[in-house]
Amino acid sequence: MVDTAANREHAKTLLLHEPAGGDPTKLTLVRAEGSLVWDDAGISYIDCTAQAWSNNLGANDPRVIEAAIEQTRAITHARPTFHTPALLDLAELLVSIAPAGLDRVGFTLHGSMAVEMALKLAMRNRPGAQHIAILHDAYHGRSITTMAASWPHPDNPFGPIQARFLRLPRPDLYRPRAGLTPEQDTELTLGLIRDVLDRGTDGPVAAIVYEPIQGNGGHNEFLPAWHRGLRQICDEYDILLIVDEVQSGLGRTGAIWASDLYDIRPDILVFGKGVGGGFPLAGVLTRAELATFRSGDDQLTFGQFPISIAAGLAAVRAILDDKLSETAAEHGRYATGRLLEMKERHPLIGDVRCPGLMVCIELVRDRVTKEPATEETRGVFLEAQRRGVIFGENRYAGLGNLIKIKPPLDISHELLARSLDVLDEALTEVERRYGRD
Ligand SMILES: Cc1ncc(COP(=O)(O)O)c(C=O)c1O
């Protein structure tokens, strides 16, 4: 008789993406429903990560599953040289809810590929331009090009064949430069960007790409003056503004788009994650006056995967029907209120960040020096998982001191409250362990 459990333990040693020696805290998931996941031992967890901040609509929503099954029965694969009805319906729907002025849409399967689509489109529209600019601490994906467009990867072996991006500074609201206020740091940084564009480049810049709230690079929020300033710079220098909403889009921030929340007015908006309702789907929305792709510019075999598109159509309809951006705003107010109250009792909490259900706390050893409490953060993550709640964490590039709270937007109040109770308990336990109580 085959020993399935033993075979699976062995299989874990075959996986290319596992750290050497494996990761004993990594669960094997067998089922998901709404904000809950179950592992292969039958234990349930509240999923405050929405997997990859991507189940904006809770997992396995019946509307999405039905649409995917129906599409699977009808046709599973259509080359991008053909349409499917769901593709046309989703195009109409996304343009109808896009920020003003964005009235063309293109689809692909991954956020990274959608960012690449946006980069190609920028180059198609600024053929003489030599640069694309990104911000320090940006994260735009893990394809070889978008990785280069993200913060420097530790021990990066891919550099020799990666594109070179123009890296622009960003303001830091938690650690502003040289004793400045966040407002002053924002103004200074906009000035530094002008300086780079005036004197620090050897040719025109096609686009500035940025996340309205930087996600993987440290959950960095910006002030309204920053968004206004970047738009103004792009207008003055004839640069396209690409806003990467792969993580912030589809209700996560308490608005359908962070671009609406902050009045950003992108030329190209990149979406992904939540749009597919748990299926791989991403793409871009652009201004009609921009040149579109020519044949051969951007076609992938499964780029317009009918099952993802049908699932995405059902997911976006559900997010709108259920008014999940409003729910996210409400849940976000509750969660940040609770976290600010916890901050008064827990010295480890250095900062509480939002907006909407894009919530995060930064843990520090000292509130004055703001030294990252990386080891302690790992402890909080493990304590919480042991108590049945999975929080998000960054474990690389020196960013291991964030706990992210980004569950599905339709999480119930009870499960959200329970998750925050568990976080409170885990912080108490870890502070006791490190003598910080
Ligand atoms: C802002 C942003 N852009 C792009 C990506 C890449 O998306 P994907 O992992 O689907 O390629 C991510 C993923 O985390 C993201 O957060």
Side-chain angles (χ1 to χ4, degrees):
M1 206 174 81
V2 178
D3 183 345
T4 311
N7 273 4
R8 288 191 179 149
E9 275 314 306
H10 172 252
K12 288 178 188 172
T13 67
L14 308 179
L15 299 173
L16 265 182
H17 293 74
E18 289 294 293
D23 177 354
T25 65
K26 191 162 173 173
L27 305 172
T28 298
L29 299 182
V30 295
R31 190 161 84 81
E33 193 182 317
S35 297
L36 296 173
V37 292
W38 283 261
D39 72 5
D40 56 352
I43 300 171
S44 72
Y45 299 84
I46 306 173
D47 181 11
C48 280
T49 71
Q51 285 309 296
W53 348 114
S54 34
N55 280 334
N56 290 15
L57 186 67
N60 289 34
D61 186 283
R63 293 165 288 188
V64 173
I65 300 305
E66 282 314 310
I69 290 172
E70 204 178 303
Q71 182 66 54
T72 306
R73 290 211 174 92
I75 176 170
T76 65
H77 181 29
R79 198 179 174 195
T81 45
F82 299 92
H83 296 138
T84 57
L87 178 118
L88 300 173
D89 293 348
L90 184 57
E92 279 284 355
L93 182 60
L94 283 174
V95 167
S96 77
I97 60 165
L102 301 185
D103 29 29
R104 278 189 201 276
V105 62
F107 295 107
T108 187
L109 292 188
H110 300 278
S112 306
M113 294 315 292
V115 171
E116 294 220 6
M117 193 192 287
L119 300 181
K120 285 186 198 169
L121 206 56
M123 287 187 267
R124 160 77 55 227
N125 279 275
R126 296 287 185 276
Q130 328 209 333
H131 300 285
I132 296 213
I134 51 121
L135 300 189
H136 292 178
D137 306 309
Y139 182 82
H140 297 295
R142 281 274 186 257
S143 65
I144 210 145
T145 296
T146 55
M147 217 171 154
S150 302
W151 78 77
H153 191 64
D155 309 319
N156 182 12
F158 314 110
I161 59 159
Q162 279 179 323
R164 295 281 172 253
F165 287 86
L166 186 64
R167 292 179 180 272
L168 300 176
R170 64 156 183 99
D172 194 323
L173 302 193
Y174 185 51
R175 294 179 177 84
R177 288 173 181 77
L180 299 177
T181 64
E183 288 76 10
Q184 289 166 333
D185 193 27
T186 299
E187 205 177 311
L188 173 74
T189 313
L190 288 167
L192 291 173
I193 289 181
R194 284 174 189 282
D195 213 30
V196 172
L197 296 175
D198 288 337
R199 305 191 297 141
T201 59
D202 52 4
V205 176
I208 295 178
V209 191
Y210 86 109
E211 301 150 85
I213 303 118
Q214 291 185 321
N216 291 11
H219 197 114
N220 307 310
E221 294 177 79
F222 299 112
L223 296 176
W226 172 253
H227 302 294
R228 263 199 316 276
L230 279 187
R231 178 69 264 178
Q232 207 174 335
I233 287 172
C234 285
D235 288 344
E236 278 171 34
Y237 290 78
D238 193 29
I239 295 172
L240 292 167
L241 184 63
I242 301 177
V243 178
D244 181 346
E245 291 234 30
V246 166
Q247 188 169 150
S248 59
L250 274 306
R252 173 60 60 190
T253 64
I256 294 292
W257 306 106
S259 294
D260 291 335
L261 190 68
Y262 300 121
D263 194 19
I264 297 178
R265 296 188 294 116
D267 295 304
I268 301 174
L269 181 152
V270 188
F271 60 84
K273 294 197 188 277
V275 74
F279 287 76
L281 185 61
V284 303
L285 285 154
T286 79
R287 297 189 178 281
E289 63 266 26
L290 292 184
T292 54
F293 287 124
R294 293 197 198 142
S295 172
D297 276 356
D298 193 70
Q299 281 176 341
L300 299 173
T301 302
F302 291 105
Q304 300 183 352
F305 186 49
I307 300 171
S308 287
I309 300 266
L313 177 62
V316 176
R317 281 181 177 153
I319 287 170
L320 297 173
D321 287 348
D322 296 355
K323 298 188 169 47
L324 289 191
S325 55
E326 291 171 30
T327 314
E330 206 172 298
H331 280 330
R333 277 191 293 275
Y334 167 74
T336 47
R338 290 264 325 253
L339 291 166
L340 287 170
E341 184 277 319
M342 278 187 223
K343 189 178 169 200
E344 289 172 18
R345 291 182 287 110
H346 290 295
L348 264 181
I349 301 183
D351 199 24
V352 176
R353 303 187 193 138
C354 43
L357 262 188
M358 193 156 172
V359 179
C360 174
I361 53 174
E362 175 159 352
L363 303 190
V364 291
R365 297 219 163 113
D366 181 319
R367 284 192 183 160
V368 177
T369 63
K370 300 178 181 174
E371 183 194 346
T374 307
E375 228 179 77
E376 295 86 334
T377 306
R378 184 79 185 136
V380 170
F381 168 83
L382 292 173
E383 266 305 315
Q385 181 163 306
R386 207 171 60 75
R387 293 160 197 255
V389 180
I390 305 172
F391 290 109
E393 50 160 8
N394 280 26
R395 264 193 278 160
Y396 43 103
L399 290 165
N401 68 325
L402 303 175
I403 293 276
K404 300 179 182 182
I405 305 144
K406 305 181 188 177
L409 310 185
D410 55 8
I411 188 171
S412 68
H413 179 78
E414 290 67 31
L415 288 184
L416 182 58
R418 170 78 193 131
S419 305
L420 293 166
D421 290 345
V422 164
L423 180 59
D424 203 346
E425 290 163 25
L427 282 162
T428 304
E429 167 57 27
V430 171
E431 282 169 348
R432 191 196 52 72
R433 206 180 291 160
Y434 284 84
R436 298 283 309 275
D437 48 349

